[in-house]
């Protein structure tokens, strides 16, 4: 059964590295009494330490020249072996060379490995690696410094009409639509343009009253009684104000005075320039003051309602500058400021509406158009660490500090929000320190293993013998 497991293990090596790798493994399995002194004469690949041979040559995996174990650089002084451990279960160990249940040789544990340097991180130990090992692992580090921290918030927004520039057209009297000058939705009108003509019996009667007051004022103006002349002027002014309240313009009243007779219909004019976004008036329909005839929107100034997740809400503030782009105009950008933050969160999307106001003089932004919104949150100055340097174990976040000359120290850090290509550092690092940005997961595995071996090598305190 043990031999069968070893055969299947070698089949995997044949697939990965070739038949010669499996043959060397079988040879090593057959040397039951192989001692560390005998293994010292073996040759191994510097890139694949698992491949060994008893004669010089080239690695069948990568083609590199094999290196003798005797020529391998070791730390100054002779390395002392503490014990041997199982390669599959580090808790199984022996005082002399042995094999496990699968026939695999125990691995020697040296004193410099077992007596790892303690660190401030529980379960991790400091490391010292030779230049060859650092090169083989691809260890790289980067120095961190204080700098300006900004957080980019990217979201999507919807173009909306500025509610303060939306005009509803309706009458202040009952009447009937006689003619439509604006006869379709979407038509652009200037300020003062004709919208429709309307007939109103009430408005005709008011015009006639004004004409009577106008004629009476002319007759009474020459009266020698001041009170009579003043009364005629007051009556004319009251009739005039009534016409103005019914949305007749001064030029319409002047035309009425010149004509000397009431006009059957009156034209309604636009008070703003913009697009007719809604048209409800129809020819011949009866209208009341409660009816909306047209909705005219001024699109020279629009809103963009952006959806910001509640997790990013603390970074958004009124007055923050934003940049917007739309898919149908590549390269075109708009800039505007955040003017309002909705006080409520949408239940289904868990987002908050943020209003951005933009100038739209060229009318390229259309209502209900989608836009990509980019917000830049300024977090002040501070330290940031690259994302590749952080090891997130779930309950804590670790980085490895490069002390120089192959020395690495694990460090627990407290991180803030994501900034650029990294994270904001709240505590745990200082300006000018170097953090490992590549192969840190391999360093973490080695650090964890050395810490475990160090704990296993430390003798457990003896329990006091019971007194009789």
């Amino acid at each position: 059964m043990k031999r069968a497991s070893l055969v299947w293990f070698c089949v995997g090596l044949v697939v990965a590295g070739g038949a010669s790798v499996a043959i060397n493994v079988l040879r090593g399995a057959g040397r039951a009494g192989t001692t560390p002194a005998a293994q010292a004469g073996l040759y191994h690949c510097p890139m694949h330490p698992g491949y060994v041979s008893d004669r010089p040559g080239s690695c069948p995996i990568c083609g590199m020249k094999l290196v003798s174990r005797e020529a391998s650089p070791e730390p100054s002084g002779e390395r002392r072996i503490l014990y041997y451990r199982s390669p599959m279960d580090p808790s199984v160990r022996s005082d002399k060379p042995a094999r496990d249940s699968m026939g695999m040789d125990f691995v020697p544990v040296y004193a410099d490995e077992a007596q790892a340097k303690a660190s401030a991180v529980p379960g991790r130990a400091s490391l010292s690696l030779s230049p060859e090992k650092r090169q083989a692992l691809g260890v790289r580090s980067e120095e961190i410094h204080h700098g300006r921290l900004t957080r980019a918030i990217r979201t999507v927004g919807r173009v909306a009409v500025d509610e303060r520039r939306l005009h509803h057209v309706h009458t202040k009297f009952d009447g009937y639509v006689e003619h439509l000058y604006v006869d379709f939705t979407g038509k652009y009108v200037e300020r003062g343009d004709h919208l429709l003509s309307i007939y109103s019996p009430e408005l005709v009667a008011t015009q006639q009253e004004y004409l009577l007051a106008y004629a009476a004022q002319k007759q009474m103006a020459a009266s020698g009684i001041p009170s009579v002349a003043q009364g005629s002027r007051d009556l004319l002014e009251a009739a005039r104000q009534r016409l103005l309240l019914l949305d007749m313009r001064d030029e319409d009243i002047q035309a009425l005075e010149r004509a000397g007779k009431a006009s059957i219909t009156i034209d309604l004019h636009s008070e703003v320039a913009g697009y007719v976004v809604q048209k409800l008036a129809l020819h011949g329909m009866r209208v009341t003051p409660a009816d909306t005839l047209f909705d005219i929107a001024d699109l020279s100034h629009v809103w963009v309602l952006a959806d910001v997740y509640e997790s990013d809400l603390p970074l958004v503030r009124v007055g923050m500058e934003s940049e917007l782009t739309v898919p149908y105009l590549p390269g075109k950008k708009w800039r505007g400021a955040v003017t309002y933050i909705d006080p409520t969160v949408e239940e289904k999307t868990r987002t908050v509406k943020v209003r951005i106001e933009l100038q739209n003089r060229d009318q390229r932004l259309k209502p209900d158009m989608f836009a990509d919104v980019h917000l830049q949150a300024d977090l002040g100055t501070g330290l940031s660490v690259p994302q590749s340097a952080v090891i997130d174990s779930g309950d804590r976040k670790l980085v490895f500090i490069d002390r120089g000359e192959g020395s690495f120290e694990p460090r627990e850090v407290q991180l803030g929000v994501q900034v650029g290509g990294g994270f904001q550092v709240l505590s745990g690092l200082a300006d000018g320190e170097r953090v490992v940005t590549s192969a840190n997961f391999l360093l973490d595995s080695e650090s964890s293993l050395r810490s475990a071996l160090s704990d296993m090598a430390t003798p457990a305190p003896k329990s006091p013998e019971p007194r009789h």
Side-chain angles (χ1 to χ4, degrees):
M1 185 66 181
K2 299 177 180 177
R3 186 66 177 177
S5 301
L6 184 59
V7 170
W8 281 110
F9 177 71
C10 292
V11 171
L13 292 178
V14 169
V15 176
S20 59
V21 179
I23 293 173
N24 281 284
V25 172
L26 288 174
R27 288 177 179 174
R31 293 192 296 269
T34 302
T35 63
Q39 293 179 359
L42 297 178
Y43 295 84
H44 72 281
C45 175
M47 295 300 295
H48 302 86
Y51 174 78
V52 294
S53 177
D54 55 358
R55 60 178 62 88
S58 300
C59 175
I61 303 175
C62 62
M64 294 187 66
K65 185 178 179 181
L66 300 181
V67 180
S68 174
R69 287 187 181 272
E70 296 177 348
S72 299
E74 297 290 350
S76 60
E78 185 178 355
R79 303 180 73 187
R80 182 170 61 89
I81 298 177
L82 293 181
Y83 56 87
Y84 298 85
R85 65 173 179 84
S86 169
M88 304 300 293
D89 187 358
S91 63
V92 179
R93 54 184 178 174
S94 172
D95 295 335
K96 56 184 178 180
R99 293 183 186 178
D100 61 7
S101 59
M102 297 179 60
M104 301 181 67
D105 291 334
F106 275 31
V107 180
V109 177
Y110 297 94
D112 59 344
E113 294 179 350
Q115 297 174 356
K117 295 181 181 179
S119 68
V121 180
R124 299 295 188 275
S126 299
L127 301 174
S128 294
L129 301 179
S130 63
E132 290 77 10
K133 289 185 178 180
R134 297 200 301 271
Q135 183 177 5
L137 294 176
V139 178
R140 294 181 179 85
S141 60
E142 179 180 323
E143 191 171 337
I144 62 173
H145 296 283
H146 277 89
R148 201 73 183 178
L149 302 181
T150 58
R151 168 71 183 276
I153 302 175
R154 299 178 180 271
T155 183
V156 66
R158 182 180 60 85
V159 180
V161 177
D162 188 341
E163 296 176 1
R164 299 165 299 186
R165 296 171 180 260
L166 184 61
H167 183 66
H168 300 280
V169 178
H170 55 85
T171 63
K172 297 178 181 177
F173 47 81
D174 294 343
Y176 301 87
V177 177
E178 293 293 329
H179 180 72
L180 285 175
Y181 298 101
V182 177
D183 51 0
F184 65 90
T185 303
K187 187 173 182 178
Y188 182 80
V189 295
E190 294 286 353
R191 182 184 179 89
D193 282 356
H194 296 262
L195 298 177
L196 56 80
S197 62
I198 189 170
Y199 162 69
S200 172
E202 178 184 357
L203 189 58
V204 171
T206 305
Q207 292 180 74
Q208 292 174 347
E209 291 177 1
Y210 178 80
L211 291 175
L212 291 175
Y214 181 71
Q217 193 272 337
K218 284 185 175 181
Q219 294 177 359
M220 299 298 179
S223 175
I225 305 175
S227 59
V228 173
Q230 184 62 36
S232 65
R233 289 194 295 269
D234 293 343
L235 181 62
L236 178 62
E237 182 62 24
R240 177 184 178 85
Q241 290 298 323
R242 186 176 179 184
L243 290 177
L244 293 175
L245 293 177
L246 293 177
D247 290 338
M248 284 194 68
R249 302 179 302 170
D250 288 334
E251 50 265 36
D252 295 332
I253 297 176
Q254 294 174 4
L256 176 65
E257 293 174 353
R258 291 193 297 270
K261 64 177 182 178
S263 175
I264 302 301
T265 61
I266 186 174
D267 291 345
L268 294 185
H269 302 80
S270 176
E271 297 182 4
V272 296
Y275 290 92
V276 177
V277 295
Q278 187 176 19
K279 169 187 164 297
L280 299 176
L282 299 174
H283 178 74
M285 70 178 293
R286 181 178 182 273
V287 296
T288 66
D291 297 327
T292 299
L293 303 179
F294 301 97
D295 285 339
I296 302 175
D298 180 7
L299 299 182
S300 62
H301 190 274
V302 295
W303 289 350
V304 174
L305 303 179
D307 295 317
V308 177
Y309 286 104
E310 55 182 328
S311 58
D312 295 329
L313 194 58
L315 304 177
V316 181
R317 67 182 187 279
V318 174
M320 175 186 295
E321 291 296 325
S322 64
E323 184 178 273
L324 294 93
T325 58
V326 293
Y328 93 104
L329 283 176
K332 177 67 176 178
K333 296 180 181 180
W334 287 265
R335 296 184 182 274
V338 176
T339 58
Y340 181 76
I341 300 175
D342 202 311
T344 60
V345 178
E346 294 188 9
E347 180 181 1
K348 294 182 179 180
T349 61
R350 311 308 303 169
T351 58
V352 176
K353 293 292 184 184
V354 174
R355 182 198 302 165
I356 302 169
E357 297 189 13
L358 300 175
Q359 294 292 335
N360 188 35
R361 295 185 179 90
D362 54 3
Q363 311 286 325
R364 290 192 175 186
L365 294 178
K366 314 295 183 183
D368 293 326
M369 181 180 290
F370 284 105
D372 296 321
V373 181
H374 307 272
L375 299 171
Q376 286 288 343
D378 188 0
L379 304 179
T381 58
L383 283 176
S384 64
V385 62
Q387 186 174 0
S388 59
V390 179
I391 301 174
D392 192 349
S393 60
D395 57 342
R396 62 181 179 180
K397 295 175 176 60
L398 305 177
V399 297
F400 277 86
I401 307 298
D402 187 354
R403 293 298 187 185
E405 299 181 357
S407 178
F408 302 95
E409 174 194 346
R411 183 83 61 81
E412 185 174 355
V413 294
Q414 298 292 330
L415 303 179
V417 298
Q418 189 171 1
V419 290
F423 295 95
Q424 179 188 20
V425 178
L426 301 180
S427 63
L429 293 175
D431 188 14
E433 289 187 313
R434 298 189 66 87
V435 296
V436 178
T437 58
S438 179
N440 47 0
F441 284 97
L442 299 177
L443 295 182
D444 183 59
S445 300
E446 182 70 14
S447 174
S448 177
L449 179 59
R450 291 197 182 186
S451 177
L453 293 176
S454 178
D455 294 340
M456 292 168 57
T458 303
K462 297 182 179 180
S463 57
E465 298 181 357
R467 296 181 180 179
H468 298 286

